[in-house]
Amino acid sequence: VSKKDELGVGLLGLGVVGGGVAKVLGQKADLFARQAGCVPVLRRVLVRDPAKRRPTDVPVALLTADPRAVLDDPDVRLVIEVMGGETPAVDYIREALEKGKAVVTANKEVMAKHGPELLALADKRGVDLLFEASVGGGIPLIAPFQRDLIANRITSVHAIINGTTNYILTRMAVEGLEFDAALRQAQELGYAEPDPDNDISGRDAAYKTAILASLAFRAVVHASDVHYEGISRLAPRDFRYARELGYAIKLLAIAKEEDGAVQARVHPAFVPDDWLLANVDGVFNAVQVDGDLVGRLLFYGKGAGAMPTTSAILANVMEAARNISAGRRNARLRLDAQKSIKPFDTIETRYYLRIWVPDRPGILAQIARVLGDRQISIASVIQKEADPDTQSAELVIMTHPARESDMQGALGEMGRLSAVTQIGNFVRVEA
Ligand SMILES: NC(=O)c1ccc[n+]([C@@H]2O[C@H](COP(=O)([O-])OP(=O)(O)OC[C@H]3O[C@@H](n4cnc5c(N)ncnc54)[C@H](OP(=O)(O)O)[C@@H]3O)[C@@H](O)[C@H]2O)c1
């Protein structure tokens, strides 16, 4: 390759994903030469600690802890950001775009919090900002929403987009494990971080939901617009009852557009057994999309890991390289800033309630009254278990669709009833 056919690349981060990108980029020179007319060549790689021993064959001379070595190099025309975290990553991306460098990033947090601002900047500077790896790892999602599904009015997106929590929920469902035991197992296998809060709280999925909802509904959806709840309050009995009722329990990312308002939320949900999503197990991810023309689609695959994520990043590098060769850039999806975000307490959904009550007559009438006062109607009630020692019984109630604020009010009031020993759990039910 002659010097002029080289595309200088700066890599920010050489961890799980950066290591994969660095390894494969060099192996794909022929592919890039043929398909893009230029060959990406690593010029500098930013890390925190250049002295650390690393399982990669990146020449040590390329490593630097100085971001200036990457951002000030005029021969770096494309920056791949795989360092993670909000800052300083967002500052480096902004500066690279300002300087007219194309950027490929895997950073969901940055795109969920600063996506619209950064995309506008990329527009202004006439360069690409591509982020396929930020949601769903190796699963193509960003490009399909921007391109292949553009003629559709998307009505809903239901997604399992956090592999760690899906692994934990699968173990709880299959082996009847308590949450803590399933989490420990996931940590031992390297599927959960030593500090797992970002995943199990639903925050990681919320970032991805903001990105997906923006693209699906062409709306400005920020990370802070996404209500999220985690999985730690689920118990093995919830999985047992769900199964008896014909559901799986998944941490679902849900985004819908109704009457010009977008709702985006992440929480555990009952998913009907006859949805393919109910059978997406272990660390796999899946995204179900409903569109007015295409009907129902399901994207399924590995949502994380060095090689799947590298697959998405290199696709973006190819796109940017082709555009740089041709002196153009991608057309950008236009977002409608007028679309409103539906407040979480106004959503309507069905609910599963598990309640411990004293084992005596007249109890159900009192519970039905609390629900009925708030226009929540009961679809079915099953008495699951009676405990002779405590003289209490466990009721499982499925409701018809109700408003979230009404259900929260009812749960509060039931908690104060002498007819309720304890609210075991509540889980929202999809479809
Ligand atoms: N892991 C996955 O499967 C996956 C999948 C999809 C998307 N992503 C996203 O990809 C990004 C990277 O994830 P990862 O798992 O590869 O992370 P990682 O293994 O922790 O690697 C992070 C890398 O960035 C470097 N770094 C971090 N902060 C830095 C700073 N302030 N200055 C200089 N260098 C810094 C680290 O340097 P040292 O090596 O010196 O510590 C390390 O090489 C994240 O945004 C993540 O959300 C990851």
Side-chain angles (χ1 to χ4, degrees), residues 12-18 46-50 52 54 65 81-85 88 92 106-108 133-134 137 204 303-306 309:
L12 307 180
L14 190 62
V16 174
V17 179
L46 180 74
V47 291
R48 245 179 316 228
D49 176 11
K52 184 159 117 187
R54 297 165 190 279
E81 186 275 308
V82 282
M83 53 192 280
Y92 298 166
N107 197 319
K108 63 216 103 172
S134 65
D204 171 85
T309 309

Side-chain angles (χ1 to χ4, degrees), residues 65-335:
D66 178 10
R68 306 267 47 96
V70 183
L71 296 168
D72 290 346
D73 180 348
D75 289 334
V76 169
R77 299 182 63 199
L78 170 75
V79 169
I80 303 175
E81 186 275 308
V82 282
M83 53 192 280
E86 183 179 2
T87 47
V90 63
D91 303 317
Y92 298 166
I93 292 173
R94 197 181 287 121
E95 185 178 338
L97 294 171
E98 287 280 7
K99 291 186 159 148
K101 303 180 195 296
V103 173
V104 172
T105 178
N107 197 319
K108 63 216 103 172
E109 185 172 358
V110 163
M111 289 311 294
K113 293 181 176 172
H114 307 280
E117 168 220 334
L118 294 173
L119 289 165
L121 174 60
D123 259 357
K124 199 167 117 212
R125 306 300 304 170
V127 291
D128 283 316
L129 166 58
L130 304 171
F131 49 101
E132 184 62 65
S134 65
V135 185
I139 308 172
L141 289 167
I142 310 297
F145 276 119
Q146 289 186 321
R147 222 167 28 215
D148 312 301
L149 298 172
I150 194 79
N152 285 261
R153 187 173 59 78
I154 307 291
T155 49
S156 66
V157 177
H158 290 85
I160 294 169
I161 41 176
N162 182 275
T164 303
T165 45
N166 202 47
Y167 178 82
I168 292 170
L169 297 182
T170 302
R171 297 274 63 83
M172 291 179 77
V174 173
E175 289 162 39
L177 294 182
E178 295 284 348
F179 168 75
D180 289 332
L183 169 61
R184 230 173 299 120
Q185 205 185 81
Q187 285 173 319
E188 278 159 22
L189 290 167
Y191 293 148
E193 305 272 335
D195 176 3
D197 183 61
N198 211 31
D199 293 314
I200 62 176
S201 67
R203 195 180 310 115
D204 171 85
Y207 292 148
K208 296 166 178 167
T209 307
I211 297 170
L212 286 183
S214 301
L215 296 172
F217 308 120
R218 296 146 211 161
V220 179
V221 182
H222 277 109
S224 55
D225 295 324
V226 183
H227 172 92
Y228 65 90
E229 296 171 20
I231 60 168
S232 56
R233 65 182 163 82
L234 294 167
R237 53 204 319 115
D238 295 316
F239 290 85
R240 228 165 42 233
Y241 299 158
R243 188 161 43 240
E244 285 173 26
L245 292 160
Y247 297 90
I249 302 179
K250 296 293 182 188
L251 181 67
L252 270 200
I254 300 167
K256 295 181 184 175
E257 179 173 357
E258 283 161 0
D259 309 324
V262 172
Q263 54 166 292
R265 50 192 162 107
V266 172
H267 52 68
F270 275 34
V271 179
D273 273 344
D274 60 359
W275 284 19
L276 289 170
L277 272 185
N279 298 303
V280 172
D281 286 334
V283 293
F284 278 87
N285 283 197
V287 179
Q288 173 183 296
V289 181
D290 286 285
D292 63 344
L293 304 178
V294 75
R296 178 161 290 181
L297 291 173
L298 186 78
F299 297 84
Y300 171 85
K302 288 191 178 145
M307 287 305 134
T309 309
T310 293
S311 162
I313 289 173
L314 289 202
N316 281 170
V317 172
M318 178 69 77
E319 202 166 331
R322 282 172 167 162
N323 285 345
I324 289 169
S325 289
R328 57 165 195 235
R329 75 202 161 91
N330 275 3
R332 185 97 50 227
L333 199 65
R334 301 281 148 205
L335 302 184

